Amino acid sequence: MTGGSDGTLVPGQLIDFSLSIDVPQISGDSDVDLRVEIFEMPLNNTAPNIHICGPEILSLGSDLQFSNASVSAPDASPQIIHANGNLGHVSKAIFDLGPVETVADTSDSTIQMKFSALALRHLIGNSEHAVLSGVAVKDYSTIIINKATFTANAELVQFDATANVEFSPSNLMTNEPSSLDIKLHATHPSFKMVIKVFNPNGFDALFNIGKPTIVNLGSGYACADLSDWEYKPTFSRTKNNYGKVTLLAPMLFNVDQNRNVEDDANSIDIKIPVTAMPNYAGPQTLAVGVMLDEVEVWSNIFTINIGEEEYPAPSPVQPTVSAKLITPHIYGGSAVIYELTISVDPEKTVHLLIEAKTSSDDVSAVTAELIDSGLCAILPVHQQSENGGVLLVDLGKCTNIDSSKSTDLKVNIAFHVSKDIGQSETRDVDIKISETEVTGLQFTTYDKSYDIGEVTAMGSSLGFSEYEVLPDTEIGFKIDVTIPPTVNDVSMSIEAYTNVLLSDVQFQICSISVQNIGSALPCMKSSSSSSVHNKSSSTKELEDMIKWDLGQSCPGSILGYSNSNDLSIKFIYRVPNQEFTHSKLNIIPAIGFYLNQESLFAASQNITLNTEDVLGSTTVQLSSNNYALTKTKPHIVAYVKDMDVESKDIAVLKVIVKIQPQTRGHFIYKFNTKSEGFLSTCRLRVTHIGSNIPCGKEPTGYVDKYSSARLNYIEDGSAEIDFGVLTNWGEHEINYDLYPDEDAIELLGFLRVTSPDSTTKEVRFVHEIASTQQQKLFNVKPGSLTNYTSNLNPVFEEILEVSNDTRTYSGIPKIIGLKLDVPAGFSNQITILFKNPDFETKEYGFCDVNVTKVGDNIPCLNLDSANQIESNEQDEPEGQISYSLYVQHYEYSQKMDENYILVEVTILTSSETTGDISLEALIEETQETASITLNLETPDLATLGRESDETFDVSYVETASQYTVIPSQKIWIPFTVSLPRFAQMPLILGFLSPSHYGRAILTVEDVRFKRSDVLSNICCTGPKVDAKSVYEVTNAPTTNISTFMQKDYIEINMGYVKNGHYTLRQGYELDDHSKFEIEVLIQGTDHQSAAQGSEFPISLAVKSRDIIAVTSQSILISRDGTGIDAKRSVIIYESVTDDLEAEFVSGDKIFFTGVLSHSIESRAEAHGMARLVFLMPRWLTIDTSSCSTNYSLSGECKVVSTNDDRQSNVIEFYGIYFSSYISLNFSIVVNELNVLPAGLGIMDSAIVSFVQCTMSSFSGYPDSDETPVLCGRYEHNSIKVKSPACNHRFELNECSVTASTAISEDAMPGNVLTDDETVWTPAVRSGKVWREEIIFDFQKMTRVSKVQITFSTIGYVLPNKLSFMSSTSGKYWKSVSVVEEAEAQTIATFDPAVYTRMMKIVIENQKDGQNKIGIKHVSWEGCPPDSSEARMENG
């Protein structure tokens, strides 16, 4: 070994060596293998710090003959060994030359080699290092060693690095390719370099990012080996582009000793292809970062404006193509792989449309794979098909973005050789790229026999084996498999399974993946099969078995490719938290690798599961599987485009949570936890969970009971997602950025921002996970929304809620969707009126209106405030329903689907309705309409819904305290009915209350659907649906009771019910959504069995066809009240009559309608004879023939009249219970007994009623069950009865008459009592007109109804006014009546009669004060004191 000598060594120093090996004469009979090793060796326990660079065989002596066909100069490739697994740092190179012999003399049997040794950056001062070469000759046991020793002379030096942008486009058209050009200067003697390109805000669909390419290395760089560089592109979520790329150079070496950061010798020119993707017009950003030895030395954010104009697609040109066979050893059944180098001229485009075929039946084309895209702007396309034996693969179009140099692409094309092919067989293959044919491609199979070889496999845990296994925690392990080139044409498969015998335990396989498939396994890469998930038994609800057919092996032998025949299989599963029957479970999950259906390898784990504990939400576990990973705290960051917002605006946050690798914990993400009421969550959803978190689930779609992910919106405007237990199985440090990579959970949150006043306010937003918090500050400015309305283009579409059956059946709910296309800027309240235009002839009902699908551009549609109004009365439906909601458009996404709202209306026809029915919708604000016609079919009820699982369940609703009822109290008792997810089934519900001795202990009064906190997907069971109007409801007594009007059973026949899956279309369906809640109204009785503290059940039976499910809710009886009010019966009689203001006379019948029932404060029932007693005057009696009631089978009342002093009438009933609502219709006859006093005028006649009954004795009241007591309060009615008139003439003497004056002794007042020619004439006075009066004293109180006055007209005048006044004493007078313009015969009638002792007639306004007035006669009529009527009135 020459070229290197002992001496000093500094970082970055390159030493060249040459090696000459003289091979002695070796006969062909000798079995001699030759092996050359070149390596470094630290001499004083220091770390390796010398890189072996460029080992190469320069020449092989002509006298040497090698059996290994791959041994040739300079193509022989050594086996490379890296120092401590550090890619890029080669510590040893091995040339295994295999069997060798000398064919002549030894004059030309020398092997010439060269290599270099390079000192690395971290060389330690004064450390000693050696570079050695060795030659080993097998069988001869000959070892020859050469050695060069060096002493390090290293000082601590700070090395500089910088970069600048050489070019970046400011504008790109849609689909236009370009590049980002960067020049990096680094003075480090050796370094690892990482280049990352991504959108800084994590929006990965904006650009397609190509492979960062080193287009020029400065002269100071040596030993550059690009084969070890790792290029990692990451698909965007659209799968249409690469949204993030990483280029890792394991080691670069700079031998320039000047270490000047500005010197071009230290420069690296980097070019990154980028292509603008469609649908993202506007300014968009890309970030580029460069790290050297894990330290970021440079980063930059590029802003590129994407235009809406489409880039004109360039016409493809024909490329230059060359091919190289990279699998020299070809066996029967193995792979033949050609590496194609495709050269694309500057700024030209080549269509990578590949055709591969062969004319031989024993060779077939398998696949084509793009290995290196060079400087191509190319979208990730791989479309493969086969046509007539020709393999067609489209890898997309490559545009060389370099304007000065051509670029080379690498494509591997694989062929499969039949296992039956012989040795030394030659075959031709044909390959064409676009229209360019690659000619002269030929291979020959190996000319010697070979051993089949063995597949090797090794299993290992993925981590966390040091922790106790708890429910929901994940368990994972892997198998590393190596398939040598000689194991060919065997079928391969994987099976993964858990304990089949634990039939009552649910397991879930989260993922099984085949990773890192080596490039020498093309048949596996081309396999289109995927894993098949199954359930191990019928008792399993989750898929706990996986079988994966990996297809046929056709391994190749690729020279210079490490790990090209390897693959890894990862298997991860969990035991969800569930109802376990044992505290400890022994679990043995296993994974097997099969060749030709025979097990090659099986890995299993014997695990004990502790079912009595769970992983707490504050604990994060760190696996010891990877000592380099030490962090446990997750990373959380949010991106907000604009922190300055106006009140009522919508803000969008993109949140990235990155779980540290090899950690697990119970993670709960809390969103908007301290917004002080000024922020409210409109929508929160998970948009990405990285592949390193395989058991993580998005709380979207159908979330079963075994899924730990739950989304919860909180009343204060916050939201949270409980992810349950998550494990990150990653093996590398996380990237602290906004990119949603394999370690990330990405969330999208929409907030409504409000400002409390007219000032700008700083509003704090806080979010957290696992005690890691981040906050953002919004500047909220005053503002208000401006209403803007535009067309919504409503269109009806049918909803396939159960299956693909689009038919509409009579009597079965049908869901119809109204799709609204909300335009940009829309902001207004809208009201949708759904209407049945043919309601008169085609009746159907509306029972549900739900908003389901809502695009991201309408994120703050408040479903809770949506107003559903039925414009019809329940008993007289008008065939329409309206629905109002506030719609505000927010421009978040450019996808058309994100502008849609789907409003679903559920209709229910009667089973008799057939033919076509129509449905119309009107948006009142825009006056837009939509309509649809549905054809009703009669369902086959014998088969309808039979294909779905008809198992269902019913349960009572658990509460914190037991339901308690006191006598007469009514309470609603809720029950839950659970139906299958795809239910379409008949359903009948029956509620039954307990009874004893023929009486109900609890009665059932009503039924209704309950407004639950959990949404229900069961059609027509919402709280706005009146069960009695929509369904057939029967409330009746069973044969268990004999009491009148008590009901102990209520049944609701719902016909066919359907699970409409509204919440699934809303995006978040739970098992709880397949339930509905129904309430039964019960009432407590005072049954003698219902003692204090006793309990009785209310039962619910649910029937579907032949299946019945039953449950019951226990009701506690409370009777611990004190005092009579807690024990007494309060029965009220309320009645009305025809007209309370009417005046009734003798012989009239007054019709009464009344209801007899218990009041709300009643606490006891009339269990025996009950009497409704009426107290009223003797002139009022009940007409027994007219009394009717609903409380007897005949409908007749039992009326009993009594002759006691109270003049009572009684209606008797047997038992008046809390459920009793007794109607009474009867007539009261006026003066049927002819006892009504006459002359009394209008008499207010009172009717007083009360109930007397016997009731059960509790706590000493009443004295016994047979003691009659007052059962309620007195009720009062009053009617007006008109007494007969009294018209007897009064007989008075002249002493009873006095007057104010008399004109003479012949004209005294007593003259008016005689009907002759004598008169009473008052004095005539001149001057002022005088009032004259005449007074009659009847001596006793009496009733006066009429007076007749006769005036003399011969010689007398008539007064023009007469006033009549009454008095009981003669001291105080009361005006009774006035007569204007008296006549010769004047009659005054008093109605009602005047009850008085004295009457006075006042003469006023004499027509002529000088003329006389003469009254001949005055006759009074009424009830004189000595009449029979007067005597009856006075007792």
Side-chain angles (χ1 to χ4, degrees), residues 1286-1290 1343-1347 1419-1423:
C1286 190
N1287 297 321
H1288 298 287
R1289 180 169 293 182
F1290 285 69
R1343 294 189 181 275
V1344 180
S1345 59
K1346 181 179 179 182
V1347 64
S1419 173
W1420 297 93
E1421 295 181 7
C1423 294

Side-chain angles (χ1 to χ4, degrees), residues 799-821:
I799 304 300
L800 305 179
E801 66 283 349
V802 174
S803 65
N804 291 327
D805 189 355
T806 60
R807 290 173 290 184
T808 305
Y809 295 111
S810 302
I812 298 178
K814 178 67 177 178
I815 305 173
I816 308 295
L818 183 69
K819 186 169 71 174
L820 308 179
D821 186 359

Side-chain angles (χ1 to χ4, degrees), residues 205 456 759:
T456 60
T759 61

Side-chain angles (χ1 to χ4, degrees), residues 961-974:
S961 58
Q962 188 174 10
Y963 286 102
T964 302
V965 67
I966 61 177
S968 87
Q969 183 184 13
K970 292 182 178 181
I971 58 173
W972 290 96
I973 306 298

Side-chain angles (χ1 to χ4, degrees), residues 438-455:
V438 186
T439 59
L441 300 182
Q442 190 178 76
F443 67 87
T444 302
T445 58
Y446 197 44
D447 60 355
K448 294 183 179 180
S449 61
Y450 56 90
D451 295 330
I452 293 180
E454 293 182 352
V455 175

Side-chain angles (χ1 to χ4, degrees), residues 763-812:
V763 175
R764 184 164 55 119
F765 163 81
V766 178
H767 62 152
E768 64 178 277
I769 189 168
S771 302
T772 302
Q773 280 193 354
Q774 188 204 31
Q775 74 173 20
K776 294 280 186 179
L777 294 176
F778 288 93
N779 293 314
V780 182
K781 299 175 289 186
S784 60
L785 289 175
T786 301
N787 286 346
Y788 170 75
T789 304
S790 184
N791 286 346
L792 296 169
N793 302 313
V795 177
F796 274 118
E797 59 181 39
E798 293 192 56
I799 304 300
L800 305 179
E801 66 283 349
V802 174
S803 65
N804 291 327
D805 189 355
T806 60
R807 290 173 290 184
T808 305
Y809 295 111
S810 302
I812 298 178

Side-chain angles (χ1 to χ4, degrees), residues 1286-1311:
C1286 190
N1287 297 321
H1288 298 287
R1289 180 169 293 182
F1290 285 69
E1291 297 294 336
L1292 301 176
N1293 58 50
E1294 60 183 35
C1295 294
S1296 300
V1297 185
T1298 59
S1300 55
T1301 62
I1303 196 169
S1304 66
E1305 292 183 356
D1306 296 333
M1308 297 299 288
N1311 293 341

